[in-house]
Amino acid sequence: MEKPKVRLVGENGNIFNLLGIASRALKDAGLDGQAKEMKDRVLSEARSYDEALRIIMAYVEVE
């Protein structure tokens, strides 16, 4: 799968904001299922900010 590109640098670093940006990029690329999976994984698996970012980066390419 080619990952959608997102710009996270310079954005509000709140993890929920970053999750929203990544989710929107996935949905815009027609990857609604991936967006839901990413959100579910962040909310259930991530135990830190860094873990949440790693999960997000598994789904999108950060520019």
Side-chain angles (χ1 to χ4, degrees):
M1 165 187 103
E2 187 171 322
K3 299 178 188 178
K5 295 180 181 177
V6 296
R7 182 167 190 265
L8 298 182
V9 176
E11 297 295 332
N12 173 338
N14 177 291
I15 199 63
F16 295 106
N17 183 55
L18 300 181
L19 185 58
I21 292 168
S23 180
R24 210 167 15 259
L26 287 163
K27 289 177 182 178
D28 288 348
L31 301 169
D32 294 34
Q34 300 264 346
K36 180 179 180 350
E37 179 181 296
M38 177 189 64
K39 183 185 108 187
D40 291 346
R41 285 189 61 204
V42 167
L43 296 177
S44 67
E45 296 176 22
R47 299 293 175 237
S48 70
Y49 186 83
D50 288 338
E51 285 180 17
L53 282 178
R54 276 193 288 277
I55 292 170
I56 291 170
M57 291 170 58
Y59 290 86
V60 296
E61 182 178 332
V62 178
E63 296 182 314

